[in-house]
Amino acid sequence: MAIDIGGTKVAGALVHPDGTMTGTTRRPTPRGADGDTVFAAVAEVVAELAEDPLWSSAVRCGIGSAGPVDTSRGTVSPVNIGAWREFPVQARVEAELARHGAGLPTVLAGDGVAMTAAEHWLGAARGHANALCMVVSTGVGGGLILNNQLHPGPTGNAGHIGHISVAFDGEPCACGGRGCVESIASGTAIARWALAQGWTGPDPTAAGVAASAAAGDPVALAAFDRAGRALAAAIAGTATLVESDIAVIGGGVAASGDTLFEPIRRHLASYATLSFVQDLQVVPATLGTHAGLIGAAAAALMLLPAEPAATA
């Protein structure tokens, strides 16, 4: 059973051992509502899944959520769901499952970790024992596979590459740090920098900058070169630390294709210089919009036992 919670939608599905999904359902995430009203959308998704004939066959439940997350406490404080601050989403979902007769073990994963689990199970990182996976979108997140195991860390935030500093004298980041990857390479940062440099494209977003870059606009190309360099430095540093041999990049900014990947690969040669990282691959994610639900299921598959614990 998989539940994927984001700023625009709450989705659910029953996920089979081969990764196919049935009973897929979704609800819009309520805007401008209180925490209980937002959770009501999650409860509706669970209730609809409970009507599926295969409901009783589920053995685990994975919950993927926008972050920040604290998996040690089962709480989330998503940037794009203002009503949830330290919201106990895992306990609340467990209660809904039990209400519908499914006392299943559950696991909570941030969206970057869920995407990592998905890409290792069925996507571009499949077959790689050590992988870094990244989401480059409004923010920059990620996760790690080490020795074929998902490595979420104690609070579920290991691999959060967006807040590695790659610019010692860089601008302050919203996290409180300075020169973070996210402050240079997120979609928001790319558009902000291009506009500050005088770019005047009709669509003031990263997608608009990417379109201008593809058409040869020098400021747009420089914005993506700058972002690619920041990502390359962070990827090389992470790979050097844990000996990853592949970096998989998904998210909205990655949809710009070679506009992003060409400068990453070009700059990577300047940073991944040691012998054990010289063959590091940087590739696009392959699961797209399905990564959230597949990732929630994959996280449950990798982090939870197959059968529910016995109850007294």
Side-chain angles (χ1 to χ4, degrees), residues 134-294:
M134 303 174 62
V135 179
V136 183
S137 186
T138 306
V140 177
L144 293 168
I145 297 290
L146 301 178
N147 296 324
N148 279 314
Q149 299 295 314
L150 186 63
H151 181 72
T155 66
N157 292 289
H160 201 338
I161 194 168
H163 295 289
I164 289 177
S165 177
V166 291
F168 182 71
D169 294 319
E171 64 183 79
C173 178
C175 75
R178 182 176 289 275
C180 293
V181 175
E182 184 171 295
S183 70
I184 300 170
S186 69
T188 307
I190 290 170
R192 182 175 65 243
W193 188 87
L195 289 165
Q197 301 305 307
W199 176 74
T200 57
D203 176 10
T205 67
V209 179
S212 290
D217 182 277
V219 174
L221 284 166
F224 270 88
D225 185 76
R226 180 174 179 264
R229 185 178 182 186
L231 290 165
I235 289 167
T238 303
T240 301
L241 188 67
V242 299
E243 290 201 54
S244 299
D245 61 0
I246 190 169
V248 176
I249 305 179
V253 178
S256 60
D258 283 345
T259 300
L260 178 68
F261 283 90
E262 188 280 327
I264 293 175
R265 291 168 178 149
R266 175 164 40 83
H267 285 296
L268 195 64
S270 300
Y271 294 106
T273 57
L274 292 170
S275 60
F276 59 92
V277 289
Q278 285 179 353
D279 295 327
L280 177 63
Q281 301 176 59
V282 178
V283 301
T286 60
L287 296 176
T289 57
H290 298 298
L293 283 171
I294 292 175

Side-chain angles (χ1 to χ4, degrees), residues 68-70 73-78 81-89:
V69 304
D70 183 345
R73 300 171 58 215
T75 61
V76 297
S77 303
I81 305 178
W84 280 7
R85 289 296 171 264
E86 298 186 2
F87 187 82
V89 68

